[in-house]
Amino acid sequence: MKSLDGLKVKVKSLGCRTNIYETEAIADSFRKKGAVIVDDGDFDVGILVSCAVTGTAEKKCRQALRHMKKESPKSMAILCGCYVQAKPDAELLSLGADICVGNRLKADLPRLVEGVIKGELKSPLVMKLDVLRHEKWDPLELSKVNFHTRSFVKIQDGCDLFCSYCIVPYLRGRPVSRDLRDVIAEVEGLVDQGCQEVVLTGVHLGLYGKGHDFDLADLVDALSKVKGLRRLRFGSIEPLALNDKLLVALAESEIFCPHLHVPLQSGDARILKLMNRGYSPVEFASIISNVRRYLGDDVHVSTDIIVGFPGEDEAAFASTLNFIRDLGIGRLHVFPFSPRKGTRAYDMPGRLQKCEIANRVNRALEEGGKLLQRYASIWMNRKVDVLIERCKGSKLLGLSRHYLETEIDWDAKGKLPERNYKGLECKVCVAEARHGILYGALSDIKDL
């Protein structure tokens, strides 16, 4: 008999792709102990994997914890992750969670729950490490495919760049990397269960291997040899990590999908310097040019920008929009500046009014819609490879290799196959691009 047999556990995630992976891995760790993972109805243990990268994220965490406690009032409530790392114990205890666990300790959650159930540990319980002085790798792992066609795999944690606006190094700690052999073994296990696409995630993916005798390029080479893996992606990669060795590995990989999310944050030289990003707009543009030299002009480059950073005047904001337009960016993620106590930007002069930041966010989002449509339009009257993930009526939906949503008209080929439509690879003739989504008819289909 397993130690947590029959325990009903609900796990919810807020925040980044790394949190999504950790949520799935936490669920997996409880499942291995005999627990039943539930999405609906009552549960015995509710776990919230939290985010604290912005004030809005913190507010959502508090709301989500309250909602979880109302859903199943008699359940054990667990808060873990960045919010726990950011707040003093007294404030955490006031939220009413039974267990609060910081970063790099999430793999201990089944043991802690078991201890509380058996009376060996007393709740409420708060456990945290000083992540800036601790190099522990949290040994979470994922053995079960949840999305069937695609899975996140966490390979790295932490960051030591200390951008002036960013609280993440204080929450996630300094860089640590997962052993290369462990990553390969997890991916092989996921592929054996039917996963065909892996997305590598980390807090700063480019720092993978720091302090070791391997790096991200070595991992790409190794994963490209995993039998049955059809697609490999990065969640996000910082610009200065895109060196020639990595780009050669990506260009030579038959499974790497030509899409890179490369955070910019600002296209204005003065603001970038205040942000302590370590590069200028000219250097960023040179990096993207080098990406296209290795991966081709059709590579999809998406990015992030922060709007309303202290001292950002109208000219600086306009420079950013002009810069990303001239650079041929596809998808654009826009974040309003959120002052985080403990960062250098928190006390910087020139903080903008919320109404002005909101106005700029809307303008940037409007520009982002145009940029995505412009990029999607280059695929008109061309064939793209799509991995099917779901269906909507008589339509099949999936992602192209270049990370564009694609809707496929199945009608011309008759009814859907009797087997699960997920995991079929299509070649689609693109007839239309609207709002950044490709629409087309089936050209060819095969089982993977």
Side-chain angles (χ1 to χ4, degrees), residues 286-298:
S286 177
I287 290 167
I288 300 306
S289 177
N290 205 34
V291 166
R292 292 188 170 120
R293 183 166 68 89
Y294 280 101
L295 301 182
D297 290 337
D298 288 342

Side-chain angles (χ1 to χ4, degrees), residues 295-401:
L295 301 182
D297 290 337
D298 288 342
V299 63
H300 182 186
V301 179
S302 57
T303 197
D304 298 336
I305 62 170
I306 294 173
V307 170
F309 189 83
E312 181 193 67
D313 55 18
E314 179 61 30
F317 175 67
S319 291
T320 296
L321 295 188
N322 290 333
F323 182 74
I324 58 177
R325 188 183 302 118
D326 294 343
L327 207 55
I329 293 297
R331 196 178 302 272
L332 177 65
H333 296 172
V334 182
F335 300 94
F337 171 71
S338 178
R340 310 307 289 145
K341 194 170 183 179
T343 65
R344 280 177 285 170
Y346 185 80
D347 295 316
M348 284 184 181
R351 193 180 292 184
L352 277 67
Q353 296 291 323
K354 288 184 179 180
C355 59
E356 178 57 30
I357 293 177
N359 175 266
R360 291 183 187 179
V361 166
N362 290 334
R363 289 162 60 191
L365 289 171
E366 183 180 357
E367 182 64 31
K370 295 176 183 177
L371 292 172
L372 181 59
Q373 177 61 24
R374 182 178 71 176
Y375 176 74
S377 295
I378 72 172
W379 298 99
M380 289 280 292
N381 302 315
R382 297 168 67 180
K383 292 183 179 180
V384 298
D385 293 317
V386 178
L387 190 62
I388 299 171
E389 297 185 343
R390 56 194 178 92
C391 74
K392 185 176 70 175
S394 63
K395 310 294 182 183
L396 297 175
L397 292 88
L399 284 177
S400 75
R401 285 176 55 83

Side-chain angles (χ1 to χ4, degrees), residues 412-427:
K413 296 291 180 179
K415 67 178 183 178
L416 290 173
E418 291 182 2
R419 60 150 284 177
N420 195 330
Y421 53 84
K422 288 184 179 180
L424 297 176
E425 188 177 47
C426 298
K427 195 170 284 291

Side-chain angles (χ1 to χ4, degrees), residues 210-260:
K210 184 176 181 178
H212 298 271
D213 60 357
F214 55 80
D215 60 17
L216 189 55
D218 297 325
L219 181 59
V220 169
D221 286 338
L223 293 181
S224 296
K225 297 179 178 68
V226 172
K227 186 177 180 181
L229 183 61
R230 298 282 180 157
R231 292 183 173 190
L232 180 66
R233 298 188 190 274
F234 292 164
S236 179
I237 185 82
E238 290 290 332
L240 295 177
L242 290 166
N243 55 48
D244 286 345
K245 180 184 178 183
L246 177 57
L247 289 172
V248 166
L250 300 182
E252 292 180 349
S253 171
E254 294 183 359
I255 63 171
F256 185 77
C257 295
H259 163 251
L260 289 171

